[in-house]
Amino acid sequence: MKIIIINGPNLNMLGIREPDKYGTESYSDLMAKIRKYCEDRNIEPEFFQSNHEGALIDRIHQAYFEKADGIVINPGAYTHTSIALLDAVKSVGIPTVEVHISDVTKREDFRRISYIRQACCFTVMGQGTDGYLRAIDYLTEKTGEGI
Ligand code: DQA
C-alpha cells in the first residue's frame, strides 16, 4: 500500500516554530516516526513538503499517476485559504486525510475554516504528530489493508 504524506508551508520548521503549539520534534523526526510505523505495517510512505501552493498541487496530481492508495495532508495555512488545493484533491479522487498537529478549532477564528476538508474522508487534529499515524490507521482500515 502506497501512501503519500504531504506537508505544506512552515512544516519544515517543526521543532523550531512555536514549539508550544507544534512540539519539539523536527520534520526529520516526524518522517522517521512515520517511516517506522509504516515499516511495521507493510505500507510504503512517500514524503513531500513544500512552502509553495503550486508545488503541493503538482504533488497531489502526481499521486494519481503513481496510483497512490492514499494521501495524508497537512496543508498548513493553505488549509484556510486554498480552493486550489481543495480542487486538486477532488481532481485525483484518492482517499485523503487532513491532519493538523494543533487543534485548529481552539485557536484563532480564521483557522476554523478548512477548504480542503470537504474533499477529505477524515480529519485528525490536536493529537500532535501522532495525528499522522492516526490518519494512516484510518486509510489502512478503510481499504482493509495493514494493521
Ligand atoms: C497546522 C495549523 C494551521 O493553522 C497552521 O497554519 C499550520 C499548522 C497544524 O498542523 O496544526 O501551519 O496545520
Side-chain angles (χ1 to χ4, degrees), residues 66-145:
E66 290 168 348
K67 301 191 185 341
D69 300 293
I71 295 173
V72 172
I73 186 164
N74 182 346
Y78 287 138
T79 308
H80 319 300
T81 62
S82 181
I83 298 168
L85 272 180
L86 163 68
D87 287 348
V89 174
K90 282 186 171 172
S91 302
V92 296
I94 298 170
T96 299
V97 179
E98 173 193 16
V99 174
H100 299 288
I101 296 168
S102 64
D103 184 346
V104 286
T105 64
K106 301 209 170 106
R107 298 180 61 191
E108 301 95 326
D109 282 350
F110 58 78
R111 293 186 204 274
R112 288 173 193 230
I113 294 166
S114 167
Y115 286 102
I116 206 166
R117 192 161 305 157
Q118 62 167 275
C120 293
C121 49
F122 195 59
T123 297
V124 186
M125 64 173 81
Q127 298 192 32
T129 57
D130 281 356
Y132 291 84
L133 309 183
R134 300 294 75 79
I136 290 166
D137 289 344
Y138 182 83
L139 287 171
T140 51
E141 281 161 23
K142 193 172 178 291
T143 57
E145 288 185 53

Side-chain angles (χ1 to χ4, degrees), residues 22-77:
Y22 302 115
T24 52
E25 274 172 285
S26 66
Y27 179 63
S28 302
D29 294 339
L30 170 67
M31 287 194 291
K33 176 173 170 169
I34 295 173
R35 213 172 263 127
K36 169 94 185 50
Y37 195 75
C38 288
E39 249 169 44
D40 298 344
R41 289 165 178 77
N42 212 13
I43 298 164
E44 198 191 321
E46 269 207 29
F47 298 94
F48 184 76
Q49 188 280 327
S50 179
N51 297 317
H52 305 277
E53 191 174 14
L56 296 166
I57 292 166
D58 289 344
R59 188 64 190 86
I60 292 167
H61 294 172
Q62 194 187 321
Y64 174 84
F65 295 105
E66 290 168 348
K67 301 191 185 341
D69 300 293
I71 295 173
V72 172
I73 186 164
N74 182 346

